[in-house]
Amino acid sequence: MASSFLNIVNATLDWVTATLDAPSSRAIVFGVPIGGHLFVEVLLFLVIVFLLSQKSYKPPKRPLTEKEIDELCEEWVPESLIPPITEEMQCEPPVLESAAGPHAIINGKEVVNFAAANYLGLIGHEKLLESCTSALEKYGVGSCGPRGFYGTIDVHLDCEARIAKFLGTPDSILYSYGLSTMFSAIPAFCKKGDIIVVDEGVHWGIQNGLYLSRSTIVYFKHNDMESLRNTLEKITLKNQRAKKLRRYIVVEAVYQNSGQIAPLDEIVKLKEKYRFRVVLDESNSFGVLGKAGRGLTEFCGVPVEKIDIITAAMGHALATEGGFCTGSARVTDHQRLSSSGYVFSASLPPYLASAAITAIDVLEENPDLITKLKKNIAVLWKGLSGILGLSLASNPESPIVFLRLEKSTGSVKSDLQLLEDISDRLLKEYSVFVVTSKRSTLDKCRLPVGIRLFVSAAHLESDLLKASESLKRVAESVLKDHI
């Protein structure tokens, strides 16, 4: 069958060739012989030119009638400005009616508060209140301008110098909002084409900074140094172009989404081996880790100058607001011209900068605050050990005690519902206020959800025992059918 078809095709081609090469298909124009092939090609070219020169058909224009306009308007449905609100998005968070100290008022009832990152118990501290009052009387409430446009006040410079002196760095820069520190500092240094290797468990502020940088993002397994090593090796050895790019490692000191502590000494060794820069967020470790509260560098015995960029929010241990970035003078000076959160935001209200200075003074004068915090963490850890259906996922020295389900339901939504049932019953039945690690639709953290307890130096031992005992009772009740 195939041979017959080929014979037919060959015979057809021979016939066409013979026809075009025949004398009857040739012509002589001005003494130039023109073959059949050239004649056909010229003819086709003229046909194409003719078709292209013709005007395309357009239906006659006719204005729409009033009836047609009304019908189109009735049929038109505008696109929604926001995605549909699902049932799990609709929630009413508890409303505090007092300061967010170790004890707070919610719905007219006093509760033990484990939902605020008031690590040193400085919320409502007398010296901080006095400092704020004096600053308010002198400077007023706001600055009404960015730092580069008449928004710089002497107390801002004093605060930057105080932070740098406390941490042992050459210089610091203040930001108006803690969360904006990371998603302004990262894009200030990381640009399109750069490579950023980041822990998969970082919080949303870092995620947003990564997105705004437009850099190439590579994740490694949460707090897994072997995964980090393999990732760095793969990038540097298998990609020759990577050696000419800026390369960063971004980690948290204490991970907000797990309570784990980053092994900074190992990270620095890998950084030096593969020639990367390190960006470290100390929001949950500043004022907490280390003998004097200088953070993860002091805790791990790593010289602070080996960390290229350090950021932190001041709304946790310092019980104020805003954030800072510290490092070399070149690092801070670059941000004063290139960091959007610094250049375009109104500067930090002066009274908050004054409170931050006072908070650091209080910390240096009272190192027993860190000792008390460590003791409270140990008491809560001991009380929560062996809790039915839940497991401790955080580091024993972390101020964030993180509880996860021992056995997942297989669905993040179902897991979160179980954990929220526990936290709701704790608040209603035992007046203990804890929070789940519920995430927004923008948060791309890959870690399991859990219950977070923020431990404070101001918590009494009775508060810690009450929390651990009530958690055990509620968890056993809620998870009895799940275990």
Side-chain angles (χ1 to χ4, degrees):
M1 182 70 179
S3 61
S4 301
F5 177 75
L6 289 174
N7 291 334
I8 293 172
V9 171
N10 291 331
T12 303
L13 291 175
D14 292 340
W15 180 80
V16 172
T17 303
T19 302
L20 293 175
D21 289 337
S24 61
S25 65
R26 299 178 183 177
I28 297 176
V29 180
F30 300 109
V32 179
I34 300 175
H37 287 285
L38 184 58
F39 179 77
V40 173
E41 289 169 358
V42 171
L43 182 62
L44 289 174
F45 175 74
L46 293 175
V47 171
I48 292 172
V49 171
F50 174 75
L51 292 174
L52 291 176
S53 64
Q54 298 301 304
K55 293 182 179 180
S56 60
Y57 172 76
K58 292 182 180 179
K61 291 185 178 180
R62 177 180 63 82
L64 296 175
T65 64
E66 291 292 333
K67 182 179 179 181
E68 290 172 331
I69 293 174
D70 292 340
E71 289 176 352
L72 289 173
C73 290
E74 289 175 1
E75 293 174 359
W76 180 71
V77 178
E79 186 177 349
S80 176
L81 293 175
I82 58 173
I85 304 299
T86 59
E87 186 177 348
E88 56 266 21
M89 293 180 183
Q90 298 176 357
C91 64
E92 294 183 7
V95 179
L96 273 71
E97 300 167 5
S98 66
H103 294 85
I105 306 297
I106 295 178
N107 298 328
K109 181 173 65 174
E110 182 176 334
V111 300
V112 183
N113 185 12
F114 286 93
N118 178 31
Y119 298 133
L120 299 178
L122 296 182
I123 286 182
H125 193 281
E126 184 178 350
K127 289 188 176 181
L128 266 70
L129 294 177
E130 291 176 358
S131 174
C132 287
T133 302
S134 300
L136 281 169
E137 292 174 349
K138 181 178 181 180
Y139 303 107
V141 176
S143 57
C144 296
R147 288 288 299 272
F149 298 91
Y150 310 104
T152 296
I153 300 174
D154 56 1
V155 71
H156 293 139
L157 304 178
D158 295 341
C159 186
E160 291 172 344
R162 186 70 181 92
I163 291 169
K165 179 182 177 183
F166 179 71
L167 292 176
T169 55
D171 199 6
S172 294
I173 180 172
L174 281 182
Y175 284 85
S176 307
Y177 180 44
L179 199 61
S180 70
T181 305
M182 280 307 289
F183 61 70
S184 295
I186 290 178
F189 295 97
C190 308
K191 305 298 181 182
K192 188 176 183 179
D194 295 343
I195 298 175
I196 305 178
V197 178
V198 59
D199 190 291
E200 66 179 357
V202 293
H203 63 71
W204 181 80
I206 295 177
Q207 294 173 36
N208 196 37
L210 299 174
Y211 171 76
L212 294 174
S213 73
R214 299 185 299 166
S215 302
T216 300
I217 312 300
V218 182
Y219 289 95
F220 66 93
K221 292 181 181 179
H222 180 51
N223 224 23
D224 187 333
M225 293 302 100
E226 188 61 32
S227 175
L228 175 58
R229 181 182 292 104
N230 293 337
T231 303
L232 298 180
E233 187 169 348
K234 183 178 179 181
I235 290 172
T236 53
L237 297 183
K238 295 186 179 181
N239 185 358
Q240 295 299 320
R241 183 171 170 270
K243 296 179 180 180
K244 300 179 181 180
L245 301 175
R246 289 174 293 197
R247 306 181 299 278
Y248 302 87
I249 301 171
V250 179
V251 293
E252 288 182 67
V254 176
Y255 288 94
Q256 186 171 301
N257 288 319
S258 72
Q260 286 288 324
I261 297 176
L264 189 62
D265 48 346
E266 297 182 45
I267 292 172
V268 169
K269 289 178 183 177
L270 293 174
K271 164 215 169 181
E272 293 174 344
K273 179 180 178 180
Y274 295 100
R275 298 184 178 277
F276 275 66
R277 295 180 175 94
V278 172
V279 180
L280 177 66
D281 182 31
E282 296 247 34
S283 294
N284 291 292
S285 58
F286 179 72
V288 175
L289 295 183
K291 186 178 180 181
R294 291 186 172 86
L296 189 61
T297 53
E298 185 181 38
F299 180 77
C300 294
V302 174
V304 70
E305 58 269 15
K306 289 195 173 184
I307 309 303
D308 301 277
I309 302 170
I310 296 176
T311 64
M314 299 192 298
H316 299 162
L318 299 186
T320 176
E321 188 46 77
F324 67 84
C325 181
T326 188
S328 66
R330 291 183 66 185
V331 165
T332 56
D333 289 345
H334 176 71
Q335 292 176 78
R336 297 188 195 280
L337 295 174
S338 303
S339 179
S340 58
Y342 180 89
V343 174
F344 299 108
S345 296
S347 61
L348 186 71
Y351 69 92
L352 293 175
S354 178
I357 296 171
T358 305
I360 296 175
D361 292 341
V362 171
L363 175 59
E364 285 193 326
E365 295 166 3
N366 300 275
D368 57 304
L369 288 173
I370 298 174
T371 306
K372 181 67 165 59
L373 176 60
K374 290 180 179 178
K375 180 183 176 183
N376 284 353
I377 295 170
V379 170
L380 188 59
W381 252 78
K382 183 179 179 181
L384 293 175
S385 59
I387 186 170
L388 196 65
L390 298 172
S391 61
L392 287 160
S394 53
N395 189 287
E397 296 185 76
S398 168
I400 301 175
V401 176
F402 201 91
L403 293 164
R404 289 179 185 163
L405 290 171
E406 282 187 346
K407 182 181 177 182
S408 173
T409 62
S411 164
V412 174
K413 180 180 177 181
S414 300
D415 287 352
L416 191 59
Q417 187 58 57
L418 284 172
L419 296 169
E420 288 183 342
D421 289 344
I422 293 173
S423 63
D424 290 344
R425 285 188 56 180
L426 276 173
L427 181 60
K428 292 176 182 177
E429 299 175 15
Y430 295 94
S431 298
V432 175
F433 187 30
V434 301
V435 289
T436 60
S437 57
K438 187 173 183 178
R439 298 165 190 149
S440 74
T441 54
L442 300 175
D443 196 331
K444 306 301 181 184
C445 178
R446 309 178 183 189
L447 302 184
V449 292
I451 293 176
R452 272 195 295 247
L453 290 90
F454 295 94
V455 185
S456 171
H459 280 132
L460 304 175
E461 186 174 355
S462 58
D463 298 333
L464 304 168
L465 294 175
K466 179 181 181 180
S468 56
E469 290 170 4
S470 57
L471 250 171
K472 283 183 175 180
R473 293 194 196 101
V474 174
E476 183 178 359
S477 174
V478 173
L479 302 176
K480 62 182 177 180
D481 298 328
H482 176 67
I483 300 171

